[in-house]
Amino acid sequence: MGRTDPQSPILWFSEISKDDVALVGGKNANLGEMLRAGVPVPPGFAVTAHAYRTFLAHAGVATRLTRLLQRIDPRDLKALHEAASEIQEMIRRAQMPSDLAEAIREAYRRLGSELGERDPYVAVRSSATAEDLPTASFAGQQETYLNVRGADDLLDKVRGCFASLFTPRAIAYRTQKGFDHERVYLSVAVQKMVNSRASGVMFTLHPVTGDKDVIVIEGTWGLGELVVRGEVTPDEYVVRKTDLAIASQRVSRKGKRMVRAGTGNAVETVPPPQQEQPALTEEQIRTLARLGLRLEEHYGAALDIEWALDADDGNLYIVQCRPETVWSAREADARGQFIGPAQQRVEATRAATRKVEVAAERVPLVRGLAASPGLAAGDVRIVLDVAHIDQFQSGEILVTEMTTPDWVPAMLKAAAIVTNSGGMTSHAAIVSRELGVPCVVGTGNATEVLRTGQTVTVDGGNGIVYEGILPEAVRQPQVSAPTPTVVPEPVPVTGTKILVNLGVPDRAEDVAALPADGVGLMRQEFIIATYIGDHPLALIERGEGDRYVDRLADGIARVARAFAPRPVVLRLSDFKTNEYRELRGGEAFEPTEENPMLGWRGASRYVDPVFERAFDLELRAILRVRNEMALRNVWVMVPFVRTVKELGRVLDLMRTRGLERGPDFKIWMMCEVPSNVILADRFAPLVDGFSVGSNDLTQLILGVDRESGRLSALFDERDEAVLRAIRHVIRTCHRFGTTVSICGQAPSVYPEMTEALVRAGIDSVSVNPDAVVRTRRLVAQIEQRLLLERCVHPERAPDSEPDGGMG
């Protein structure tokens, strides 16, 4: 094989190797290298970095591009977006040189001929490169298009990949890192689109034990995305390297799969007879193992490999490989670095099988606020940046400054959570209580006192972190989470509805088994952070708005199905700017605010021209769930409404999308701003229900920062000023036939507040899953007491508490 021609616009994977990153980018170079190792890779070719430079030069955009890039200030978001939009539009509209266009068409025809198809489906992926900048991989920042078909569509998508080098996010990243925009080039991979009958991962050592004598293969039906999400448990096969015998196998029930659907993907139910069948035959397992051995020998290291079984030709393909990092890192005495998602799934087993040594003394290391009760023992992992949560392993103690919604993937796996800052209503506290995970917040110094790898016991009920493993932590499960599906005895019927707060769809089936009348608060931002991860405006800019709608609808539907026919009140997105910035691509769209809690959030976002396109994606997802999926038990709640006019504008936007109040579609609003209380008579006629957000309402009535650990003693939802405000809202709303609920933390924590609310006539109380049963019993007792009191003293009004003249 001769030397690769650096001036060629097209290079086939068979022509390139790991030494050609400067010509075709890292992604393409690795595909070529795997072919050299003699393993089957989906066939295809690279549109080279030289082709990209030729395209810019011929299109006459190079000079304009230089001028626009030179005047960009990434701190000026408006100017950055305007320049990026102009550059991308300029590239997308540019005429491709005829010889380059024909070279791509000819390569596509040749690929089709090799595959025996006239217009084969292909994946079109960006593969960024940079001369003299070996660290400039820019992974995940450029465009990928799947299920592309036809030469014209292919040329359009190649231009789209070229243009994606100049998204606001990519420009800001290069500027921040000091990279020269005009020395970063783009190659494009055009590759047979594998129509996966099955797919999965393979390790050339055992990811749990580090045993180098075996290969471990995981597989599921369809694409592997549902395994990554945690919605499907894959099969597992352990193969001996010496004779390729299958030492053990675990076949899981795989109830659904993701498959090709036109130019996208869709989730479908696996036919019942196939659900418990193995995704691979014994011969296919051994074939994969042989390929794994070949790659391990070629690269000289243990590998983490992705594979796919094509439904069209029946062939197994290797689609990606990378060095295995967990055990390699441990051998290099660098524990805790570069932990990959596939390895994280097995860390719980590792933690459960280790020898337990009980601490001889009770030595407190850190003290803070008791945010979520329970005991948990485990190893500390300090994570200071959400970008590094992939290092976190199941069963560890998460120690950080504070969490936001995009930390949920790690929180789901944590034995306990400890934070430096935050109060009882901080994100970490709220989510921990919902998940039943012990939590201590507001320690001030946990990240300084504790160290990664240190074994501790977290006492979430008393706000203390102890050295070592306490005896009582051994006698109970590692995580003292409630078991929602177990209701020890019948629960009473109540006139006041008992609803449940829910944020994580993965818990929907368990929580739905509780004696709750529905979901009073479904936090949409947790779905966005966990199921999507990207800023909606970034996806819109990349032409992937439909992906946002699909995944958001899937998350909502999962909860709605579990609770049907009981209502699910979905709170529209209520990220603050600092939380939106943490989503992928968010830094290019979000301003920096001194006080995000009182900034650009809630209803104000939806009616802002900058964000209105993103809000429209939310409405489309809700429509899909209610109409296409026929889950009409989904209602909507508008958060953080400041003015009556603002609410009216939000309702108008919803109406234009076909979401209008009716017999089976209710619209609620959060009552969390003092203006909602003062003007309750103006807001109430516009909605079907109020839901008191006691956390924000208390913060704004008392002027106490709910995130402040120092002021936590002053933050009390039971304060008379807060209770008077809520009583006024209940009386006013009932005059208009508008219901009132409460979804803040207070009823889950304070029985006396629940009694005050029931006495005031509240229609429903929404609490955390672990508080549903006891709250229902408490409310039943209160209602019985009220009935007896009225029988004995009929002259007394149900609620004789003063309201400060607001009634």
Side-chain angles (χ1 to χ4, degrees), residues 434-464:
E434 180 176 316
L435 297 177
V437 174
C439 179
V440 179
V441 300
T443 63
N445 61 356
T447 58
E448 299 173 8
V449 174
L450 305 178
R451 65 182 187 277
T452 294
Q454 181 180 15
T455 302
V456 301
T457 297
V458 176
D459 181 352
N462 293 301
I464 305 173

PDB file of all heavy atoms in Angstrom, residues 434-464:
ATOM      1  N   GLU A 434     -36.057  12.599  47.396  1.00  0.00           N
ATOM      2  CA  GLU A 434     -36.893  11.890  46.420  1.00  0.00           C
ATOM      3  C   GLU A 434     -36.329  10.512  46.105  1.00  0.00           C
ATOM      4  O   GLU A 434     -37.077   9.548  45.944  1.00  0.00           O
ATOM      5  CB  GLU A 434     -37.004  12.707  45.136  1.00  0.00           C
ATOM      6  CG  GLU A 434     -37.864  12.035  44.092  1.00  0.00           C
ATOM      7  CD  GLU A 434     -38.056  12.877  42.843  1.00  0.00           C
ATOM      8  OE1 GLU A 434     -38.305  14.077  42.981  1.00  0.00           O
ATOM      9  OE2 GLU A 434     -37.953  12.324  41.745  1.00  0.00           O
ATOM     10  N   LEU A 435     -35.005  10.400  46.029  1.00  0.00           N
ATOM     11  CA  LEU A 435     -34.370   9.127  45.701  1.00  0.00           C
ATOM     12  C   LEU A 435     -34.204   8.225  46.913  1.00  0.00           C
ATOM     13  O   LEU A 435     -33.874   7.051  46.769  1.00  0.00           O
ATOM     14  CB  LEU A 435     -32.991   9.380  45.074  1.00  0.00           C
ATOM     15  CG  LEU A 435     -32.973  10.131  43.738  1.00  0.00           C
ATOM     16  CD1 LEU A 435     -31.532  10.357  43.290  1.00  0.00           C
ATOM     17  CD2 LEU A 435     -33.744   9.372  42.677  1.00  0.00           C
ATOM     18  N   GLY A 436     -34.428   8.772  48.112  1.00  0.00           N
ATOM     19  CA  GLY A 436     -34.211   7.988  49.313  1.00  0.00           C
ATOM     20  C   GLY A 436     -32.750   7.761  49.607  1.00  0.00           C
ATOM     21  O   GLY A 436     -32.365   6.745  50.195  1.00  0.00           O
ATOM     22  N   VAL A 437     -31.896   8.699  49.217  1.00  0.00           N
ATOM     23  CA  VAL A 437     -30.452   8.585  49.416  1.00  0.00           C
ATOM     24  C   VAL A 437     -30.035   9.475  50.584  1.00  0.00           C
ATOM     25  O   VAL A 437     -30.372  10.661  50.606  1.00  0.00           O
ATOM     26  CB  VAL A 437     -29.692   9.016  48.138  1.00  0.00           C
ATOM     27  CG1 VAL A 437     -28.191   9.033  48.384  1.00  0.00           C
ATOM     28  CG2 VAL A 437     -30.026   8.081  46.991  1.00  0.00           C
ATOM     29  N   PRO A 438     -29.310   8.964  51.583  1.00  0.00           N
ATOM     30  CA  PRO A 438     -28.853   9.801  52.694  1.00  0.00           C
ATOM     31  C   PRO A 438     -28.051  10.995  52.178  1.00  0.00           C
ATOM     32  O   PRO A 438     -27.249  10.864  51.244  1.00  0.00           O
ATOM     33  CB  PRO A 438     -27.965   8.864  53.515  1.00  0.00           C
ATOM     34  CG  PRO A 438     -28.466   7.491  53.186  1.00  0.00           C
ATOM     35  CD  PRO A 438     -28.899   7.552  51.754  1.00  0.00           C
ATOM     36  N   CYS A 439     -28.256  12.151  52.799  1.00  0.00           N
ATOM     37  CA  CYS A 439     -27.594  13.364  52.303  1.00  0.00           C
ATOM     38  C   CYS A 439     -27.309  14.322  53.444  1.00  0.00           C
ATOM     39  O   CYS A 439     -28.150  14.532  54.331  1.00  0.00           O
ATOM     40  CB  CYS A 439     -28.496  14.039  51.257  1.00  0.00           C
ATOM     41  SG  CYS A 439     -27.810  15.572  50.577  1.00  0.00           S
ATOM     42  N   VAL A 440     -26.131  14.910  53.401  1.00  0.00           N
ATOM     43  CA  VAL A 440     -25.722  15.976  54.326  1.00  0.00           C
ATOM     44  C   VAL A 440     -25.295  17.165  53.481  1.00  0.00           C
ATOM     45  O   VAL A 440     -24.442  17.022  52.601  1.00  0.00           O
ATOM     46  CB  VAL A 440     -24.557  15.527  55.239  1.00  0.00           C
ATOM     47  CG1 VAL A 440     -24.141  16.670  56.162  1.00  0.00           C
ATOM     48  CG2 VAL A 440     -24.948  14.293  56.039  1.00  0.00           C
ATOM     49  N   VAL A 441     -25.890  18.327  53.718  1.00  0.00           N
ATOM     50  CA  VAL A 441     -25.554  19.521  52.941  1.00  0.00           C
ATOM     51  C   VAL A 441     -25.008  20.605  53.872  1.00  0.00           C
ATOM     52  O   VAL A 441     -25.091  20.508  55.089  1.00  0.00           O
ATOM     53  CB  VAL A 441     -26.783  20.067  52.175  1.00  0.00           C
ATOM     54  CG1 VAL A 441     -27.318  19.029  51.209  1.00  0.00           C
ATOM     55  CG2 VAL A 441     -27.872  20.518  53.133  1.00  0.00           C
ATOM     56  N   GLY A 442     -24.445  21.652  53.263  1.00  0.00           N
ATOM     57  CA  GLY A 442     -23.984  22.806  54.024  1.00  0.00           C
ATOM     58  C   GLY A 442     -22.858  22.507  54.984  1.00  0.00           C
ATOM     59  O   GLY A 442     -22.747  23.137  56.043  1.00  0.00           O
ATOM     60  N   THR A 443     -21.969  21.562  54.630  1.00  0.00           N
ATOM     61  CA  THR A 443     -20.866  21.233  55.543  1.00  0.00           C
ATOM     62  C   THR A 443     -19.794  22.314  55.551  1.00  0.00           C
ATOM     63  O   THR A 443     -19.059  22.461  56.518  1.00  0.00           O
ATOM     64  CB  THR A 443     -20.204  19.910  55.117  1.00  0.00           C
ATOM     65  OG1 THR A 443     -19.641  20.083  53.806  1.00  0.00           O
ATOM     66  CG2 THR A 443     -21.215  18.776  55.099  1.00  0.00           C
ATOM     67  N   GLY A 444     -19.678  23.044  54.462  1.00  0.00           N
ATOM     68  CA  GLY A 444     -18.679  24.106  54.368  1.00  0.00           C
ATOM     69  C   GLY A 444     -17.316  23.637  53.904  1.00  0.00           C
ATOM     70  O   GLY A 444     -16.609  24.359  53.191  1.00  0.00           O
ATOM     71  N   ASN A 445     -16.916  22.408  54.284  1.00  0.00           N
ATOM     72  CA  ASN A 445     -15.534  21.992  53.998  1.00  0.00           C
ATOM     73  C   ASN A 445     -15.376  20.522  53.646  1.00  0.00           C
ATOM     74  O   ASN A 445     -14.272  19.983  53.724  1.00  0.00           O
ATOM     75  CB  ASN A 445     -14.637  22.319  55.195  1.00  0.00           C
ATOM     76  CG  ASN A 445     -15.072  21.588  56.465  1.00  0.00           C
ATOM     77  OD1 ASN A 445     -16.093  20.895  56.467  1.00  0.00           O
ATOM     78  ND2 ASN A 445     -14.308  21.749  57.534  1.00  0.00           N
ATOM     79  N   ALA A 446     -16.445  19.846  53.260  1.00  0.00           N
ATOM     80  CA  ALA A 446     -16.353  18.394  53.017  1.00  0.00           C
ATOM     81  C   ALA A 446     -15.333  18.062  51.940  1.00  0.00           C
ATOM     82  O   ALA A 446     -14.596  17.078  52.046  1.00  0.00           O
ATOM     83  CB  ALA A 446     -17.722  17.842  52.628  1.00  0.00           C
ATOM     84  N   THR A 447     -15.262  18.874  50.890  1.00  0.00           N
ATOM     85  CA  THR A 447     -14.326  18.574  49.795  1.00  0.00           C
ATOM     86  C   THR A 447     -12.877  18.786  50.215  1.00  0.00           C
ATOM     87  O   THR A 447     -11.964  18.305  49.545  1.00  0.00           O
ATOM     88  CB  THR A 447     -14.634  19.440  48.560  1.00  0.00           C
ATOM     89  OG1 THR A 447     -14.562  20.814  48.922  1.00  0.00           O
ATOM     90  CG2 THR A 447     -16.018  19.139  48.012  1.00  0.00           C
ATOM     91  N   GLU A 448     -12.668  19.513  51.307  1.00  0.00           N
ATOM     92  CA  GLU A 448     -11.303  19.738  51.804  1.00  0.00           C
ATOM     93  C   GLU A 448     -10.908  18.704  52.855  1.00  0.00           C
ATOM     94  O   GLU A 448      -9.769  18.243  52.885  1.00  0.00           O
ATOM     95  CB  GLU A 448     -11.191  21.143  52.399  1.00  0.00           C
ATOM     96  CG  GLU A 448     -11.475  22.253  51.391  1.00  0.00           C
ATOM     97  CD  GLU A 448     -11.533  23.625  52.056  1.00  0.00           C
ATOM     98  OE1 GLU A 448     -11.205  23.705  53.254  1.00  0.00           O
ATOM     99  OE2 GLU A 448     -11.921  24.590  51.378  1.00  0.00           O
ATOM    100  N   VAL A 449     -11.864  18.317  53.708  1.00  0.00           N
ATOM    101  CA  VAL A 449     -11.564  17.397  54.799  1.00  0.00           C
ATOM    102  C   VAL A 449     -11.523  15.951  54.302  1.00  0.00           C
ATOM    103  O   VAL A 449     -10.639  15.171  54.685  1.00  0.00           O
ATOM    104  CB  VAL A 449     -12.606  17.545  55.930  1.00  0.00           C
ATOM    105  CG1 VAL A 449     -12.375  16.486  57.007  1.00  0.00           C
ATOM    106  CG2 VAL A 449     -12.541  18.940  56.528  1.00  0.00           C
ATOM    107  N   LEU A 450     -12.482  15.577  53.467  1.00  0.00           N
ATOM    108  CA  LEU A 450     -12.545  14.210  52.962  1.00  0.00           C
ATOM    109  C   LEU A 450     -11.628  14.056  51.752  1.00  0.00           C
ATOM    110  O   LEU A 450     -11.257  15.036  51.120  1.00  0.00           O
ATOM    111  CB  LEU A 450     -13.987  13.856  52.590  1.00  0.00           C
ATOM    112  CG  LEU A 450     -15.028  14.046  53.701  1.00  0.00           C
ATOM    113  CD1 LEU A 450     -16.427  13.709  53.192  1.00  0.00           C
ATOM    114  CD2 LEU A 450     -14.683  13.199  54.933  1.00  0.00           C
ATOM    115  N   ARG A 451     -11.312  12.812  51.406  1.00  0.00           N
ATOM    116  CA  ARG A 451     -10.456  12.560  50.246  1.00  0.00           C
ATOM    117  C   ARG A 451     -10.998  11.377  49.456  1.00  0.00           C
ATOM    118  O   ARG A 451     -11.609  10.449  50.021  1.00  0.00           O
ATOM    119  CB  ARG A 451      -9.020  12.299  50.678  1.00  0.00           C
ATOM    120  CG  ARG A 451      -8.827  11.043  51.484  1.00  0.00           C
ATOM    121  CD  ARG A 451      -7.387  10.843  51.928  1.00  0.00           C
ATOM    122  NE  ARG A 451      -7.199   9.546  52.565  1.00  0.00           N
ATOM    123  CZ  ARG A 451      -7.467   9.288  53.837  1.00  0.00           C
ATOM    124  NH1 ARG A 451      -7.947  10.252  54.622  1.00  0.00           N
ATOM    125  NH2 ARG A 451      -7.283   8.063  54.315  1.00  0.00           N
ATOM    126  N   THR A 452     -10.795  11.397  48.161  1.00  0.00           N
ATOM    127  CA  THR A 452     -11.254  10.317  47.294  1.00  0.00           C
ATOM    128  C   THR A 452     -10.630   8.988  47.716  1.00  0.00           C
ATOM    129  O   THR A 452      -9.434   8.904  47.958  1.00  0.00           O
ATOM    130  CB  THR A 452     -10.902  10.624  45.829  1.00  0.00           C
ATOM    131  OG1 THR A 452     -11.653  11.766  45.395  1.00  0.00           O
ATOM    132  CG2 THR A 452     -11.229   9.448  44.928  1.00  0.00           C
ATOM    133  N   GLY A 453     -11.489   7.956  47.825  1.00  0.00           N
ATOM    134  CA  GLY A 453     -11.029   6.636  48.230  1.00  0.00           C
ATOM    135  C   GLY A 453     -11.163   6.370  49.712  1.00  0.00           C
ATOM    136  O   GLY A 453     -11.071   5.218  50.156  1.00  0.00           O
ATOM    137  N   GLN A 454     -11.395   7.409  50.517  1.00  0.00           N
ATOM    138  CA  GLN A 454     -11.557   7.254  51.955  1.00  0.00           C
ATOM    139  C   GLN A 454     -12.904   6.595  52.261  1.00  0.00           C
ATOM    140  O   GLN A 454     -13.930   6.955  51.694  1.00  0.00           O
ATOM    141  CB  GLN A 454     -11.480   8.625  52.624  1.00  0.00           C
ATOM    142  CG  GLN A 454     -11.602   8.618  54.141  1.00  0.00           C
ATOM    143  CD  GLN A 454     -11.503  10.030  54.702  1.00  0.00           C
ATOM    144  OE1 GLN A 454     -11.617  11.009  53.968  1.00  0.00           O
ATOM    145  NE2 GLN A 454     -11.296  10.152  56.011  1.00  0.00           N
ATOM    146  N   THR A 455     -12.920   5.622  53.177  1.00  0.00           N
ATOM    147  CA  THR A 455     -14.156   4.943  53.555  1.00  0.00           C
ATOM    148  C   THR A 455     -14.811   5.682  54.715  1.00  0.00           C
ATOM    149  O   THR A 455     -14.170   5.941  55.751  1.00  0.00           O
ATOM    150  CB  THR A 455     -13.887   3.492  53.961  1.00  0.00           C
ATOM    151  OG1 THR A 455     -13.251   2.820  52.867  1.00  0.00           O
ATOM    152  CG2 THR A 455     -15.178   2.760  54.298  1.00  0.00           C
ATOM    153  N   VAL A 456     -16.098   6.028  54.544  1.00  0.00           N
ATOM    154  CA  VAL A 456     -16.820   6.790  55.556  1.00  0.00           C
ATOM    155  C   VAL A 456     -18.248   6.259  55.691  1.00  0.00           C
ATOM    156  O   VAL A 456     -18.724   5.484  54.868  1.00  0.00           O
ATOM    157  CB  VAL A 456     -16.887   8.296  55.200  1.00  0.00           C
ATOM    158  CG1 VAL A 456     -15.497   8.890  55.074  1.00  0.00           C
ATOM    159  CG2 VAL A 456     -17.686   8.521  53.925  1.00  0.00           C
ATOM    160  N   THR A 457     -18.917   6.706  56.746  1.00  0.00           N
ATOM    161  CA  THR A 457     -20.348   6.463  56.937  1.00  0.00           C
ATOM    162  C   THR A 457     -21.058   7.797  56.982  1.00  0.00           C
ATOM    163  O   THR A 457     -20.660   8.693  57.735  1.00  0.00           O
ATOM    164  CB  THR A 457     -20.624   5.696  58.235  1.00  0.00           C
ATOM    165  OG1 THR A 457     -20.003   4.407  58.168  1.00  0.00           O
ATOM    166  CG2 THR A 457     -22.125   5.514  58.451  1.00  0.00           C
ATOM    167  N   VAL A 458     -22.087   7.949  56.179  1.00  0.00           N
ATOM    168  CA  VAL A 458     -22.870   9.182  56.135  1.00  0.00           C
ATOM    169  C   VAL A 458     -24.161   8.969  56.913  1.00  0.00           C
ATOM    170  O   VAL A 458     -24.940   8.064  56.602  1.00  0.00           O
ATOM    171  CB  VAL A 458     -23.188   9.592  54.683  1.00  0.00           C
ATOM    172  CG1 VAL A 458     -24.077  10.829  54.657  1.00  0.00           C
ATOM    173  CG2 VAL A 458     -21.902   9.841  53.903  1.00  0.00           C
ATOM    174  N   ASP A 459     -24.367   9.781  57.930  1.00  0.00           N
ATOM    175  CA  ASP A 459     -25.601   9.762  58.718  1.00  0.00           C
ATOM    176  C   ASP A 459     -26.445  10.942  58.273  1.00  0.00           C
ATOM    177  O   ASP A 459     -26.278  12.070  58.754  1.00  0.00           O
ATOM    178  CB  ASP A 459     -25.266   9.852  60.211  1.00  0.00           C
ATOM    179  CG  ASP A 459     -26.508   9.809  61.096  1.00  0.00           C
ATOM    180  OD1 ASP A 459     -27.629   9.872  60.541  1.00  0.00           O
ATOM    181  OD2 ASP A 459     -26.354   9.726  62.322  1.00  0.00           O
ATOM    182  N   GLY A 460     -27.340  10.692  57.310  1.00  0.00           N
ATOM    183  CA  GLY A 460     -28.151  11.771  56.764  1.00  0.00           C
ATOM    184  C   GLY A 460     -29.191  12.294  57.724  1.00  0.00           C
ATOM    185  O   GLY A 460     -29.675  13.413  57.567  1.00  0.00           O
ATOM    186  N   GLY A 461     -29.553  11.498  58.725  1.00  0.00           N
ATOM    187  CA  GLY A 461     -30.562  11.939  59.682  1.00  0.00           C
ATOM    188  C   GLY A 461     -30.043  12.920  60.702  1.00  0.00           C
ATOM    189  O   GLY A 461     -30.814  13.719  61.256  1.00  0.00           O
ATOM    190  N   ASN A 462     -28.729  12.895  60.953  1.00  0.00           N
ATOM    191  CA  ASN A 462     -28.140  13.797  61.939  1.00  0.00           C
ATOM    192  C   ASN A 462     -27.116  14.753  61.345  1.00  0.00           C
ATOM    193  O   ASN A 462     -26.547  15.579  62.060  1.00  0.00           O
ATOM    194  CB  ASN A 462     -27.482  12.981  63.072  1.00  0.00           C
ATOM    195  CG  ASN A 462     -28.499  12.228  63.909  1.00  0.00           C
ATOM    196  OD1 ASN A 462     -29.390  12.845  64.500  1.00  0.00           O
ATOM    197  ND2 ASN A 462     -28.405  10.912  63.942  1.00  0.00           N
ATOM    198  N   GLY A 463     -26.859  14.624  60.043  1.00  0.00           N
ATOM    199  CA  GLY A 463     -25.965  15.563  59.378  1.00  0.00           C
ATOM    200  C   GLY A 463     -24.505  15.374  59.725  1.00  0.00           C
ATOM    201  O   GLY A 463     -23.770  16.358  59.864  1.00  0.00           O
ATOM    202  N   ILE A 464     -24.061  14.111  59.878  1.00  0.00           N
ATOM    203  CA  ILE A 464     -22.676  13.842  60.280  1.00  0.00           C
ATOM    204  C   ILE A 464     -22.058  12.811  59.338  1.00  0.00           C
ATOM    205  O   ILE A 464     -22.707  11.854  58.930  1.00  0.00           O
ATOM    206  CB  ILE A 464     -22.591  13.314  61.731  1.00  0.00           C
ATOM    207  CG1 ILE A 464     -23.280  14.283  62.698  1.00  0.00           C
ATOM    208  CG2 ILE A 464     -21.146  13.085  62.158  1.00  0.00           C
ATOM    209  CD1 ILE A 464     -23.393  13.744  64.113  1.00  0.00           C
TER     210      ILE A 464
END
